[in-house]
Amino acid sequence: MVDLLSVTDLTVGFATENGTARVLDHVSFAMRPGEIMGLVGESGCGKTTLARAILGVLPNNAAIASGSISFAQTDLLGRDTAAIRGRDITFIPQDPFGSFSPLFSVGDQIGELMRWKSPDRAPGDTGYTRTRRRADAARIQAALAAVQLPDIERLLRKYPHELSGGQRQRVMVAMALLPEPKLVIADEPTTALDVTIQAQILKLLRQLATERGASVLFTTHDLGTAWEICDRVTVMYAGQEAETAPVADFFARPRHPYTAALLDSLPTQGAALLGIPGDVPSPFAPPPGCRFHPRCPRATDLCRASHNETAEPAPGHFVRCHHPNEWPIQDGGPAS
Amino acid sequence: MSLLDITGLNRHFPIRNVWGRRTGWLRALDGVSLSIAKGEILGIVGESGCGKSTLGKTISGIHPPSSGSVRFEGHEIATLSPSAGRAVRRNLQYCYQDPGASLDPRWKIGTSLEEPLIVHTDMSRADRQARVHETLRAVNLPERHLDLYPHEISGGQQRRVGLARILMLRPSLIILDEPTSGLDVSVQAVVLNLLLELRARFDLTYLFISHDLSVVRLFSQRIAVMYLGRVVELGPTEQVFAAPAHPYTKSLLSAVPIIGGRRIVDSFALEGEPPSPGAIPTGCRFRTRCPHATPLCASEDPPDRPLTDGRLVACHHADSIA
């Protein structure tokens, strides 16, 4: 199958007073149409920067040093992506409140979105005819009903502060799907929500994306959420992708020591709680060789000296490590 | 004997309209009763707005209660004057989400750690220094940190200093308010292990407030599940997790992702959001979202009913819906 999105060798640096912080370092990954891909990692690993690079909304001090991003067979870098952004690629933010204008009603804001990003709008069309308006109004009703919001007429007249966090995030999900995008980028969309509301939003997102054939790139720091919604998972560490695998394989047979250590840090019944000693390396002066070696229990001279390339030890399972876990393991327990 | 006894604790905030006229009451705590035994870890769980932080703040005297009693080490502390309360509360410390953020940026860490001893005790200078050193070692920080300022150490180390400061007066009860929220899992594990270590070493009792059910399950011996200002289920952690009796506990637990288990996105059923604590439904407060609600639930607020295993459940139908 042809990839919907492929990121190759992407390197992004941020110019700061203290020098250049290399936040993404030769990142490569690909997404197929219709899949939900999880991008997990701890704070500062570069997952949000990657999402923003794909959208073409990096901050001004960021510079793409190398690499390419291709979406539906077109190169996204070095061209104006305004026509694609919000239409073929949409975005669900972590904090929906910060993404609404407090001064306009919810209905006004969805209407404005549809005026410019409706699937009916021809490129270059600046008017908004009555036919289009009517078709869009019906679409908005259907989309809000699909995210299970009650009393839609009243809701459209309300202002963002009158909605609860869960309702705002539902509206965001509806808005992200209204332009009938091929790809939805969801950046920690449930982090600010309670578990019961999180479960509802995840359920909706999964249902709607599947029904409409949209792919979802889902960034999260919560491995449990990634397990719930993703088909495949990529874990990032210090600006590099460490491991990519189908979701069941990722959690049952992690190959990268970092993935294994993250899973051991989860509070699980009947197991000792192990953290990861040490700190995430600074993006200004990353360690030579493997990024994870200062904290890795299995680090050798090879890891300290030489850069590791991504290998594919099992079909569809990619890992960037000199000494990955081997599965299945003969002696019983995991080797880590 | 229990260390802390709370009976019928209420904390009601007035809701005022734009002219300052009271139009109703927000019942943040509505008849909370529970007790904590010495050395125990009691977890308080619930969604945002359920009153779990208000509970912690009311116990520690940050909010005065509207009514009800808080007995700590045998003394009634809910009705004490602020100055009398201060003496009692030496033994009762409140730990904010990030204890490191409350350090004074202009004070050296040694000064920050010594201050509570100067304010609350008449220890000699040498004794104070000895205790500062001992406590700093307990949170695994080197002694040279005493001469540094907060900005010179990492966020994780600041958090340890904050914890050390809370421990300076050797409290018996610490209220931990979301101590791990916002942390990455690898750091969270380190913080939780440190808290367990400190508890063993200083003989501490924890009231552990968290919205993260898997952390609470691992960490506490008993848990209290709160919904809209009331404890709806209270019992030993393992029993509550293994066989939740209240319909709300059931739905809350079923919303927690279990890696390798059944995906909740395929099975989760609870709909809607909690009503506003300013407009709590009549009768049982969960009935508007409860799949088992009957006319009885609308007319009568269920009392705390003991189950055969010693758990307390506030539900009319706890026996029939298991």
Side-chain angles (χ1 to χ4, degrees):
Chain A
M1 203 190 295
V2 184
D3 292 333
L4 175 71
L5 173 80
S6 76
V7 173
T8 318
D9 245 359
L10 187 71
T11 302
V12 174
F14 283 74
T16 71
E17 287 171 7
N18 306 324
T20 304
R22 198 181 260 200
V23 175
L24 292 180
D25 193 6
H26 299 282
V27 173
S28 304
F29 80 100
M31 274 182 79
R32 298 176 209 122
E35 81 174 340
I36 302 185
M37 169 109 184
L39 205 54
V40 305
E42 301 182 279
S43 356
C45 71
K47 52 189 192 298
T48 297
T49 304
L50 181 53
R52 298 187 70 149
I54 295 166
L55 277 169
V57 290
L58 284 171
N60 286 335
N61 63 337
I64 295 175
S66 74
S68 67
I69 301 174
S70 120
F71 173 74
Q73 276 81 61
T74 48
D75 189 12
L76 286 188
L77 294 182
R79 60 188 283 250
D80 183 16
T81 54
I84 293 173
R85 200 163 59 223
R87 178 85 171 255
D88 291 326
I89 305 180
T90 59
F91 184 66
I92 303 177
Q94 174 176 348
D95 164 28
F97 193 53
S99 311
F100 281 112
S101 163
L103 301 176
F104 294 91
S105 69
V106 171
D108 282 347
Q109 298 189 49
I110 304 182
E112 178 73 6
L113 166 83
M114 291 306 277
R115 172 168 185 176
W116 301 106
K117 302 295 183 184
S118 157
D120 289 347
R121 177 175 173 262
D125 180 6
T126 51
Y128 201 26
T129 60
R130 187 176 290 179
T131 355
R132 258 188 65 202
R133 204 184 288 259
R134 245 189 233 138
D136 285 345
R139 273 203 188 95
I140 292 170
Q141 293 278 343
L144 292 175
V147 293
Q148 292 161 19
L149 282 163
D151 204 355
I152 294 168
E153 280 310 317
R154 257 187 74 200
L155 177 101
L156 289 173
R157 285 196 300 274
K158 284 188 178 176
Y159 287 83
H161 73 268
E162 297 177 281
L163 308 184
S164 70
Q167 286 173 332
R168 283 196 289 263
Q169 202 55 293
R170 279 166 202 268
V171 174
M172 271 293 162
V173 171
M175 287 173 79
L177 291 166
L178 268 169
E180 298 178 6
K182 299 192 183 82
L183 174 65
V184 178
I185 295 178
D187 190 13
E188 305 250 10
T190 60
T191 304
L193 304 175
D194 283 315
V195 276
T196 54
I197 312 297
Q198 164 174 302
Q200 294 168 358
I201 299 281
L202 290 179
K203 192 172 170 178
L204 271 177
L205 195 58
R206 195 175 167 84
Q207 249 171 25
L208 294 175
T210 316
E211 272 167 26
R212 286 156 211 224
S215 306
V216 181
L217 181 65
F218 190 98
T219 76
T220 179
H221 69 279
D222 179 14
L223 291 162
T225 311
W227 157 261
E228 284 297 335
I229 192 170
C230 299
D231 301 316
R232 283 198 307 144
V233 181
T234 288
V235 62
M236 293 190 61
Y237 182 75
Q240 297 182 327
E241 80 287 7
E243 181 165 7
T244 301
V247 65
D249 224 23
F250 181 87
F251 285 105
R253 286 175 285 277
R255 288 174 189 265
H256 199 288
Y258 175 61
T259 316
L262 265 188
L263 293 175
D264 283 341
S265 301
L266 293 176
T268 327
Q269 223 40 36
L273 194 58
L274 307 169
I276 306 180
D279 289 315
V280 176
S282 150
F284 295 103
C290 170
R291 288 292 159 90
F292 188 57
H293 86 251
R295 303 170 78 188
C296 181
R298 247 186 280 160
T300 60
D301 287 340
L302 178 67
C303 307
R304 284 180 270 273
S306 88
H307 182 73
N308 41 10
E309 292 299 330
T310 303
E312 190 178 0
H317 200 138
F318 301 89
V319 60
R320 191 193 278 257
C321 177
H322 288 300
H323 311 289
N325 281 339
E326 299 292 339
W327 296 91
I329 288 160
Q330 280 81 22
D331 303 324
S336 55
Chain B
M1 199 197 85
S2 48
L3 183 67
L4 181 78
D5 263 311
I6 302 169
T7 326
L9 193 65
N10 288 314
R11 174 64 202 165
H12 296 176
F13 296 95
I15 304 172
R16 297 183 189 280
N17 64 13
V18 284
W19 293 282
R21 193 158 196 207
R22 186 167 56 74
T23 57
W25 289 102
L26 191 151
R27 292 185 280 164
L29 292 180
D30 205 19
V32 173
S33 301
L34 46 84
S35 63
I36 306 176
K38 189 148 181 48
E40 187 182 36
I41 304 179
L42 174 71
I44 308 275
V45 299
E47 297 175 279
S48 20
C50 73
K52 55 190 192 303
S53 279
T54 309
L55 176 63
K57 289 181 178 164
T58 307
I59 294 171
S60 57
I62 297 171
H63 296 316
S66 306
S67 64
S69 116
V70 179
R71 288 183 76 81
F72 176 62
E73 293 181 326
H75 305 280
E76 176 62 50
I77 59 170
T79 50
L80 287 180
S81 68
S83 57
R86 197 171 304 139
V88 175
R89 293 198 184 97
R90 268 180 56 180
N91 290 334
L92 193 167
Q93 290 280 333
Y94 186 86
C95 174
Y96 281 93
Q97 190 174 331
D98 181 3
S102 46
L103 296 175
D104 190 320
R106 287 187 251 185
W107 282 9
K108 286 183 181 170
I109 282 156
T111 320
S112 276
L113 290 183
E114 199 180 354
E115 194 210 18
L117 298 179
I118 299 173
V119 173
H120 284 280
T121 70
D122 46 12
M123 288 166 78
S124 73
R125 194 182 159 78
D127 287 351
R128 292 201 302 261
Q129 282 305 320
R131 184 172 283 189
V132 166
H133 285 216
E134 185 198 354
T135 314
L136 198 69
R137 272 197 305 277
V139 296
N140 304 325
L141 287 176
E143 282 185 12
R144 59 187 164 78
H145 275 40
L146 290 176
D147 286 324
L148 298 179
Y149 289 94
H151 73 266
E152 295 176 290
I153 58 179
S154 73
Q157 288 170 334
Q158 285 177 17
R159 189 178 283 268
R160 284 164 192 269
V161 173
L163 272 176
R165 190 171 141 94
I166 286 165
L167 291 169
M168 286 312 296
L169 291 166
R170 300 289 182 267
S172 50
L173 175 68
I174 298 183
I175 297 168
L176 299 164
D177 193 354
E178 302 270 7
T180 62
S181 82
L183 296 182
D184 287 317
V185 282
S186 63
V187 184
Q188 168 176 289
V190 174
V191 171
L192 289 176
N193 283 333
L194 176 67
L195 287 172
L196 286 176
E197 237 174 80
L198 293 173
R199 168 169 167 265
R201 170 151 186 188
F202 295 109
D203 204 11
L204 299 170
T205 305
Y206 287 149
L207 180 73
F208 186 86
I209 300 170
S210 178
H211 70 282
D212 187 333
L213 292 149
S214 39
V215 169
V216 172
R217 179 176 194 179
L218 193 75
F219 203 73
S220 26
Q221 288 134 12
R222 284 194 309 146
I223 71 169
V225 182
M226 289 186 69
Y227 186 74
L228 287 180
R230 172 158 188 199
V231 175
V232 294
E233 182 160 358
L234 173 69
T237 308
E238 267 326 295
Q239 286 168 25
V240 173
F241 272 84
H246 195 283
Y248 175 65
T249 317
K250 277 194 183 47
S251 356
L252 191 65
L253 294 182
S254 70
V256 180
I258 299 167
I259 289 172
R262 189 159 71 132
R263 282 182 163 185
I264 43 158
V265 286
D266 302 328
S267 59
F268 186 69
L270 185 66
E271 281 177 14
E273 298 177 23
S276 147
I280 293 179
T282 57
C284 172
R285 56 201 66 209
F286 186 57
R287 70 177 168 86
T288 50
R289 299 167 81 197
C290 182
H292 309 285
T294 61
L296 175 67
C297 304
S299 60
E300 248 180 76
D301 199 6
D304 291 333
R305 295 203 304 168
L307 297 189
T308 44
D309 59 5
R311 248 187 289 175
L312 285 178
V313 180
C315 175
H316 289 300
H317 307 294
D319 304 319
S320 55
I321 58 174

